[in-house]
Amino acid sequence: MTNTQAQRQIRAKRRWLRRGAAAVALAAVLGGVAAPAALAAPTAASHGTAQRGTLLSVAPADSLDRAGVAAYLSGLDMDAGTVRYGITAHRLTYATVDPQGRPTTATGLLVLPQGGPHRLDLVSDTHGTTAHRDAAPSGGAGYNRFTPYLHASAGRAVAAPDYLGLGGGPGRHPYMDTASSVTASVDMLRAARTAGDRLGRPVTRDVYATGFSQGGQVAMALGRELSRPGSHFRLRALAPIAGPYDLTGSEVPGITDGRVAPRTAVFYLTYALTAQNRVHPLYKDPAEVFRAPYAQAVESLFDGSHTEEEIVAALPATPQELLTPEWYENIRAPHGELLDFLKANDDACDWKPAVPVRLYTGTADTDVPIANTRACAADLARHGVRARVVDQGPDADHFTTAIRSAPQVTRWFDSLR
C-alpha cells in the first residue's frame, strides 16, 4: 500500500467517525481501516511443540522513507517532530499459547528504523480494540500502524502484537482477556529479538511499554510480567494511554451512568460478553443476554470478518435496547460469572513498578472515562509509586487523547535513554 492510499484511508475513517460513530471512536482506534486488506485465512496451530516465543516466519510488510513517515503521521494531525528515520515493517508469526495454555500461533508487526544505532532498544506497543482481524497491526497498512511507525522512526525497534485471533492467528480473539494478551505480547517480544538478529538489527532486552485503550491496560499488565524474575527483559518505562484499568469501579459503571457514550457501550459490551463467554461461561444461549433480534446475530458479528462500521450498523443505539432486563441489571450491579470476569481483568495497576510511569488520559473521553486512569494512579500510589497523570485537556476525547499523547510518549522515552 502506498502512503497516499494510507492517507485516503485515514481521511475516510475520520469522516466516518464524524458522521456518527465517533461513538466507536476508535473502539477500533487506530486499530482499524476502512477497507481491510485480505490476509491468508488463518489455520490451526501446526507448531504445537515449538517453545513459546519461537519465531516461525518473517515477511516484509512495508517500507517508508523519513518523508513518507512524516507525511503519514501528519495526515492524522499528529506531531511528526520526532521522526528521524524511515522505517521497515515485518510481519512475524510465532508460537504462543491460548487462554487455556494450549499451544497456538500469533502474528505481530516488527518495525525497525532505517538508521540509528546498530543495536536497538525495544518498544512494546499494544493496540486498542479492533474486531476485524485484518485491522490488527500486521494487517493491511492503514492507521493501525501509526504508533509503531512513530516510535520506530525515532530510533527504536517496535514490537506490536496482534494478540490472539487477530492478524493471521487462528480462532477468535478473546477480547478483554488480559492474561492471554500479555502472554501473546511477551512472546512477540521474544520473537522480535530473534527476528532482529536475523534481519541484521539486533535488539536489546530493554523494553519501553506503551499501548492505547485496550492496549493501555495490556501494557500495564505486561510491565508487571516483564518485571518478574526470569523474564529475561529489562522494563525501562511504562506509558499507557487511556486504558480501561478499572472495569468494576469506572468503566462498567460508566455504561449505565452516561460517562460512556451509548453506542460505544453497545460495541464494547457485545464484543466483551460474546468473547468472554468462551473463557468464562456467562451464558448458554445468547438470548439469555441479548434481546431479539440481536441475540441471533451477535456472535457472528464478532467472528473477525466484520469491520467496526458493519458491527455498529447491525447493533442498537443503547445498552437498554441491546440487553435483556436481567442482564442490564447485571451490568448495573455485576454479580456471578460477570463479576468474576471483571475482577480477573481488574488488577493491571495493582503492583509496584520499579520504573517511571506516566498515565495519559483525556477529560472528554467517553470511550474510557478518565476515572479509569485516576483509579490506576491510586492503585499505584498504594504501592508507593507516584505515577504522573498527563491529562490532554477538557476537549480530549478518546481519539484526540491518542493523537496528542503518542508523540509525547516518544519524546519521554527519548529523555530516558
Side-chain angles (χ1 to χ4, degrees):
M1 174 176 289
T2 68
N3 190 54
T4 299
Q5 288 171 319
Q7 297 303 319
R8 287 173 183 157
Q9 284 190 346
I10 291 164
R11 289 192 292 269
K13 187 74 168 185
R14 289 172 75 99
R15 284 196 300 272
W16 177 78
L17 290 170
R18 292 188 187 107
R19 280 202 300 269
V24 179
L26 299 201
V29 138
L30 312 182
V33 292
L39 299 174
T43 57
S46 58
H47 302 274
T49 59
Q51 184 177 0
R52 279 184 51 189
T54 297
L55 179 66
L56 303 176
S57 69
V58 182
D62 200 6
S63 179
L64 291 174
D65 62 16
R66 179 181 177 181
V69 176
Y72 167 78
L73 297 173
S74 297
L76 278 168
D77 299 328
M78 177 173 286
D79 176 4
T82 61
V83 176
R84 304 182 187 96
Y85 309 104
I87 60 90
T88 58
H90 311 267
R91 191 186 211 205
L92 309 187
T93 303
Y94 60 95
T96 188
V97 292
D98 70 10
Q100 290 73 39
R102 299 172 302 209
T104 188
T105 60
T107 54
L109 196 72
L110 172 65
V111 190
L112 301 171
Q114 295 177 354
H118 175 64
R119 189 170 175 83
L120 300 165
D121 288 343
L122 189 55
V123 172
S124 173
D125 183 18
T126 43
H127 68 79
T129 302
T130 186
H132 196 293
R133 64 170 51 254
D134 293 8
S138 81
Y143 59 91
N144 48 338
R145 298 181 179 176
F146 89 99
T147 46
Y149 287 8
L150 177 72
H151 289 290
S153 68
R156 285 174 283 274
V158 183
D162 294 333
Y163 310 142
L164 299 179
L166 295 171
R172 295 193 183 194
H173 175 49
Y175 180 55
M176 292 307 294
D177 181 53
T178 308
S180 64
S181 292
V182 168
T183 59
S185 299
V186 171
D187 293 342
M188 176 65 186
L189 293 173
R190 293 168 175 159
R193 296 197 74 230
T194 304
D197 288 342
R198 185 177 299 181
L199 294 164
R201 298 303 302 274
V203 174
T204 74
R205 298 185 185 277
D206 289 343
V207 177
Y208 299 77
T210 187
F212 172 66
S213 195
Q214 176 191 7
Q217 182 200 46
V218 173
M220 282 301 303
L222 173 65
R224 176 172 53 195
E225 189 65 23
L226 297 181
S227 299
R228 299 188 194 279
S231 79
H232 304 295
F233 289 99
R234 292 183 294 262
L235 182 67
R236 292 292 306 278
L238 278 165
I241 302 169
Y245 318 104
D246 184 29
L247 296 176
T248 54
S250 301
E251 187 67 20
V252 171
I255 289 172
T256 56
D257 68 17
R259 286 177 291 165
V260 177
R263 282 196 180 274
T264 303
V266 166
F267 182 91
Y268 286 155
L269 273 174
T270 312
Y271 199 178
L273 294 176
T274 55
Q276 282 299 314
N277 194 54
R278 299 189 298 273
V279 181
H280 301 266
L282 299 176
Y283 59 83
K284 294 181 179 179
D285 185 326
E288 298 170 26
V289 178
F290 305 100
R291 292 178 182 267
Y294 310 109
Q296 60 187 329
V298 287
E299 294 189 340
S300 62
L301 284 174
F302 291 93
D303 63 1
S305 69
H306 295 83
T307 66
E308 283 74 28
E309 296 93 328
E310 291 169 340
I311 293 168
V312 169
L315 292 173
T318 67
Q320 292 95 326
E321 295 171 272
L322 173 73
L323 301 173
T324 63
E326 295 79 10
W327 263 84
Y328 184 78
E329 178 61 22
N330 197 7
I331 297 300
R332 194 191 65 78
H335 60 274
E337 290 289 344
L338 175 64
L339 183 59
D340 290 344
F341 145 57
L342 296 175
K343 287 184 174 180
N345 293 278
D346 232 6
D347 63 349
C349 301
D350 191 13
W351 62 290
K352 186 175 183 177
V355 299
V357 181
R358 289 191 179 180
L359 305 172
Y360 295 79
T361 186
T363 300
D365 192 337
T366 57
D367 281 56
V368 182
I370 193 172
N372 282 277
T373 298
R374 291 172 176 155
C376 181
D379 281 347
L380 293 170
R382 282 192 287 273
H383 290 280
V385 176
R386 190 171 184 178
R388 179 178 172 185
V389 174
V390 181
D391 183 355
Q392 299 298 353
D395 64 332
D397 59 15
H398 206 49
F399 180 86
T400 303
T401 298
I403 295 297
R404 292 179 183 172
S405 298
Q408 295 174 15
V409 171
T410 304
R411 288 191 170 89
W412 184 50
F413 287 171
D414 282 346
S415 75
L416 298 174
R417 284 177 170 175

